Amino acid sequence: MRVGILTGGGDAPGLNAAIRAVGTMTHARGGSVVQVRDGWKGLLGDGDLADLDQSAFEGILHVGGTILGSSRTNPMKIDGGVEQCLRTIEHAGLDALVAIGGDDTLSVARRLAAEGAPVVGCPKTMDNDLSVTEYCIGFDTAVGIVAESLDRIRTTAASHHRAVVVEVMGRDTGWVALDGGIAGGADLIVVPEFPPHLDELVEHVQGRWSSGHRYSIVVVAEGVEMPELGGREDAGGERDAFGHVRLSKRGVGERLAEAIEERTGKETRSVSPSYIQRGGTPSAYDRIWATRCGTVSFALAEKGAFGMTSGASPLRSPVELAAGGRPPSPRCCE
Ligand code: F6P
């Protein structure tokens, strides 16, 4: 069996562990592995592919990023892009292609599978915002980094008696903010799903000062919208190939810190751990999870369950989903 692997979208800790799992399983079954470089970009034109032997997967389990490279290229937005991808898959003689990525990458996987290509998915994103699975590769590490950041920020906030607003990633969801904030003992966590009124939020911080607290830590997810803090148009209008604005450019954390300082009269700063959240060494949990998801994605490819992705519902592990001979539930790339 000739299996291609690609990674798309933002890098996330654990990608290499998933790649290693797919590659090692393929070789163990006597197959060959093809690297597709830089996400869907690697399938455009004449393709940017290379064979990988087993040595490529040695020593990468604990390494962050992706050895395959990544991009936010969207073939569906390029004239003839989908056809080019289909042609390259055929010319390269791929019996299966494992696409490791988030909603954007998997939306292309779904389209290609619908066109008859042998594509399966593997869910990755530190945002943890995929409806097809309870958990995504990269999330655990990101939460750990946010929690550690709060531990460190706390010492400065406490020493200088400041409020500190910590802006974290997560796109339009608050998973990283919520779990990272709880683990790091944030005093207030603001998520896009339940945007508060600025007045309420300031009142809470003011209440902490008034009741004798000498510092506050507020975690805000990058996707939070509050009319008083400006809208998405303030992100500069720049969009990626999937139509997403760069939320970090809007700087909701900075704006919130300014608003809190102005209204409470207390020194307030903002901090963003930014790419540190998704860079570097994956946690043990992400390594294990990515290994399991990669293994299940290979199993789906092996049995020809194209248009499907590995993933987990609350009651079943991804391994059980594949071994049970049933499609993973809920279905993704059908
Ligand atoms: O989707 C993962 C993510 O890290 C989001 O949390 C964030 O909004 C976005 O990627 C940032 O993307 P970029 O790589 O374009 O800066």
Side-chain angles (χ1 to χ4, degrees):
M1 197 176 179
R2 197 162 158 74
V3 179
I5 316 175
L6 68 76
T7 50
D11 69 321
L15 275 174
N16 284 327
I19 294 165
R20 173 178 172 269
V22 177
T24 303
M25 284 301 295
T26 306
H27 283 134
R29 295 279 211 271
S32 58
V33 179
V34 178
Q35 149 183 32
V36 178
R37 291 199 183 95
D38 300 340
W40 297 116
K41 194 173 170 189
L43 289 182
L44 295 176
D46 294 334
D48 189 3
L49 305 120
D51 280 32
L52 292 179
D53 62 26
Q54 186 56 29
S55 67
F57 308 115
E58 277 157 27
I60 65 166
L61 178 63
H62 65 290
V63 180
T66 160
I67 60 164
L68 307 179
S70 191
S71 72
R72 294 197 189 275
T73 301
N74 181 359
M76 298 190 292
K77 285 281 158 61
I78 294 170
D79 233 8
V82 169
E83 292 71 24
Q84 289 174 44
C85 291
L86 294 169
R87 213 170 34 236
T88 307
I89 291 172
E90 202 185 321
H91 284 176
L94 299 184
D95 299 305
L97 172 65
V98 179
I100 310 172
D103 52 348
D104 296 334
T105 305
L106 295 184
S107 69
V108 179
R110 175 170 54 193
R111 172 70 191 280
L112 294 177
E115 301 280 348
V119 184
V120 300
C122 183
K124 164 282 327 177
T125 168
M126 57 153 288
D127 299 339
N128 204 34
D129 61 353
L130 297 184
S131 59
V132 296
T133 183
E134 285 299 303
Y135 183 81
C136 299
I137 298 164
F139 177 60
D140 182 66
T141 310
V143 166
I145 292 168
V146 169
E148 192 196 329
S149 301
L150 297 198
D151 292 346
R152 292 178 184 279
I153 288 162
R154 181 179 304 281
T155 61
T156 297
S159 304
H160 292 264
H161 316 304
R162 291 173 183 160
V164 181
V165 176
V166 185
E167 178 182 321
V168 305
M169 286 180 163
R171 194 81 81 188
D172 294 309
T173 60
W175 294 108
V176 178
L178 190 62
D179 281 17
I182 290 172
D187 301 306
L188 188 61
I189 302 169
V190 192
V191 296
E193 291 86 344
F194 303 99
H197 290 294
L198 183 60
D199 292 346
E200 269 180 297
L201 195 154
V202 172
E203 205 177 297
H204 183 84
V205 177
Q206 182 61 60
R208 284 182 52 80
W209 289 121
S210 310
S211 60
H213 293 284
R214 307 196 70 203
Y215 69 91
S216 291
I217 296 180
V218 178
V219 172
V220 62
E222 63 177 359
V224 164
E225 305 247 20
M226 281 189 271
E228 302 88 339
L229 302 181
R232 298 214 161 193
E233 64 282 3
D234 298 317
E238 198 184 310
R239 287 176 187 266
D240 68 21
F242 288 90
H244 305 297
V245 296
R246 274 179 56 195
L247 291 171
S248 59
K249 279 201 142 185
R250 189 170 58 117
V252 71
E254 183 67 43
R255 287 164 188 248
L256 183 55
E258 278 166 15
I260 293 173
E261 181 167 295
E262 198 182 294
R263 295 184 183 208
T264 62
K266 298 281 189 185
E267 193 174 9
T268 306
R269 300 281 175 94
S270 81
V271 176
S272 170
S274 184
Y275 289 149
I276 294 168
Q277 291 162 93
R278 70 181 207 204
T281 314
S283 66
Y285 192 82
D286 267 328
R287 297 179 204 188
I288 295 165
W289 188 256
T291 300
R292 295 173 78 188
C293 284
T295 303
V296 172
S297 293
F298 171 80
L300 291 171
E302 193 177 39
K303 67 180 183 191
F306 302 123
M308 307 300 298
T309 183
S310 53
S313 66
L315 300 177
R316 296 188 195 136
S317 77
V319 175
E320 286 162 351
L321 287 168
R326 283 182 286 206
S329 177
R331 290 164 75 94
C332 163
C333 316
E334 55 189 349

